[in-house]
Amino acid sequence: MKIAIASGKGGTGKTTLSVNLAVALTGVAKIGLLDCDVEEPNCHLYLKPPFDATEPVGTPIPVVDAAACTGCGLCARACEFNALLALPGVPLLLPELCHGCGACSYVCPEEAITEEDRTIGMVGAGYVGDLYFRWGRLNVGEARSTPVIAAVKNLETVPALDIVIIDAPPGVACPAVETL
């Protein structure tokens, strides 16, 4: 069972409720607590885990091979987020705007665009007593928190949990939607 603690605004006690619910259920079942408020993670302040966020989370960004690029501008026209500017010559990348969709590399007729990961945050995971705890932290200045939230929610390598408590970020925008 998964239980998400969410609210349309901050400061309503989501973190306090999440941590206390997870701790209260520990010992009754196999419990996991996911702190998906990666812009302001606070569950670790209550739990004081013996680990830090050390697993990097990245998002793909395009890398243009200047020797192969003909400056046709198809990549910039395909970019829905205006992360590539088609100037005369090699396009200019604005990495903060890139959503990592890969459309630019797909449409490039010269195959001059490849992708590399750009680290945007970190994830930490482990046990605090019998409680499995996973949390993430978005790097300062990054605009897109959804890849870090997705990494926090990734429980593929975790033994089966009976109940997962999710501390959601405030609001109703993309981070809250990704969490839910």
Side-chain angles (χ1 to χ4, degrees):
M1 174 185 343
K2 293 181 181 176
I3 302 170
I5 310 298
S7 173
K9 67 177 284 313
T12 59
K14 294 180 297 297
T15 299
T16 304
L17 179 60
S18 299
V19 171
N20 283 300
L21 183 59
V23 170
L25 292 173
T26 301
V28 176
K30 294 179 186 170
I31 304 297
L33 174 61
L34 309 181
D35 190 347
C36 289
D37 187 0
V38 299
E39 293 180 53
E40 287 294 332
N42 288 320
C43 290
H44 69 285
L45 298 174
Y46 294 105
L47 297 173
K48 298 186 183 357
F51 53 86
D52 197 7
T54 57
E55 182 183 324
V57 177
T59 186
I61 61 167
V63 176
V64 180
D65 179 358
C69 179
T70 60
C72 69
L74 286 176
C75 56
R77 284 193 290 271
C79 183
E80 290 290 321
F81 306 101
N82 300 313
L84 287 167
L85 300 176
L87 304 171
V90 178
L92 174 66
L93 172 66
L94 303 172
E96 299 82 19
L97 297 178
C98 181
H99 280 58
C101 68
C104 55
S105 61
Y106 180 77
V107 300
C108 180
E110 307 303 325
E111 297 181 1
I113 300 177
T114 57
E115 292 179 337
E116 68 180 25
D117 258 5
R118 181 174 71 88
T119 301
I120 62 168
M122 304 292 273
V123 172
Y127 283 89
V128 178
D130 291 334
L131 173 66
Y132 179 76
F133 176 52
R134 192 165 174 87
W135 63 292
R137 179 181 297 129
L138 185 68
N139 290 347
V140 174
E142 291 294 337
R144 293 187 55 236
S145 61
T146 53
V148 181
I149 293 170
V152 171
K153 292 180 0 183
N154 182 359
L155 297 173
E156 290 176 1
T157 61
V158 180
L161 298 169
D162 298 323
I163 301 172
V164 177
I165 309 293
I166 303 170
D167 182 22
V172 294
C174 293
V177 171
E178 175 64 33
T179 298
L180 299 177

